[in-house]
Amino acid sequence: MKKIAVFASGAGSNAENIIRYFLDNKEIKVVLVLSNKADAGVHGRVAQYGTPSFTFTYKEFNEGSEVLKKLAEYEVDYIVLAGFLLKISPAIITAFPQKIINIHPALLPKFGGKGMYGHHVHEAVVAAGETETGVTIHYVNENYDEGQIIFQAKFPVLQTDTVEDVERKIHELEYAHFPEVIEKLWG
């Protein structure tokens, strides 16, 4: 069985969706959720599925050793970033080469990089007058949003679409495709 750790910083809807998707899967299981925020909603969401979650400090994450110990304790094979806002430390990237993936709420390479997450991305897409946007699932490397692209799904942005409309459509794509791509990659 392949064991996955999910890293999340916020409400955790993507983390919950992934956990639910793999609940009865014999090949893949989410065994651990890690967050940089003790008050992140993800902790409550995943508790209902019996998935343990832990919080780490920025220093622990940046140095990597404490986080790597926790990943080893749970025998984690792969890492999924689901709304995780910190740059992955070199120690973790080295320990999990080509085994860390992220979902980004735009069609990379557009609208990526430091500070481009969540609402900020949707606002930039609408302000730029983009005619399409979507999600990108990619491997994580030492630079924000520059790892090899694994999958993209897109939709047209209508002239009448608000930032909230774009956000809703992005979430629909995330929920539909992220677990499936994980399963195809590692199942």
Side-chain angles (χ1 to χ4, degrees), residues 58 85 87 104 111-117 120 143-146:
Y58 178 77
L85 302 181
K87 190 174 183 182
H104 185 76
F111 305 103
K114 185 174 177 139
M116 292 304 286
Y117 60 89
H120 301 288
N143 300 313
Y144 283 112
D145 303 323
E146 291 183 15

Side-chain angles (χ1 to χ4, degrees), residues 4-19 30 32-46 52-56 61 67 71 79-86 88 101-103 178:
I4 294 176
V6 175
F7 286 40
S9 295
S13 61
N14 263 315
E16 180 181 8
N17 185 53
I18 293 165
I19 289 168
V30 177
L32 174 67
V33 172
L34 294 169
S35 181
N36 58 312
K37 296 183 177 183
D39 61 349
V42 70
H43 298 293
R45 282 184 185 261
V46 304
S53 66
F54 299 92
T55 304
F56 50 80
F61 179 70
V67 173
L71 294 170
I79 298 171
V80 172
L81 308 184
F84 186 69
L85 302 181
L86 297 180
I88 303 300
I101 63 171
N102 181 44
I103 192 163
F178 206 9

Side-chain angles (χ1 to χ4, degrees), residues 18-25 28-30 179 182-183:
I18 293 165
I19 289 168
R20 267 198 331 259
Y21 185 89
F22 291 111
L23 274 178
D24 297 322
N25 191 296
I28 298 173
K29 180 173 177 67
V30 177
I182 293 166
E183 187 171 37

Side-chain angles (χ1 to χ4, degrees), residues 146-186:
E146 291 183 15
Q148 177 189 346
I149 293 172
I150 300 164
F151 174 86
Q152 289 185 314
K154 58 188 172 182
F155 61 87
V157 178
L158 307 175
Q159 287 183 337
T160 56
D161 278 345
T162 64
V163 171
E164 291 74 21
D165 294 329
V166 171
E167 183 174 31
R168 180 183 45 77
K169 293 176 187 181
I170 289 290
H171 285 309
E172 290 172 5
L173 287 182
E174 290 173 339
Y175 300 154
H177 295 291
F178 206 9
E180 290 176 354
V181 170
I182 293 166
E183 187 171 37
K184 286 178 186 168
L185 269 181
W186 301 327

Side-chain angles (χ1 to χ4, degrees), residues 26 38 41 68 74 79-80 83 91 107 112 121 125 133 146 152 155 163 187:
K26 306 277 189 247
L68 286 171
Y74 282 82
I79 298 171
V80 172
L107 297 172
V121 176
V125 165
T133 192
E146 291 183 15
Q152 289 185 314
F155 61 87
V163 171

Side-chain angles (χ1 to χ4, degrees), residues 124-135:
V125 165
V126 171
E130 291 293 309
T131 57
E132 69 178 11
T133 192
V135 297

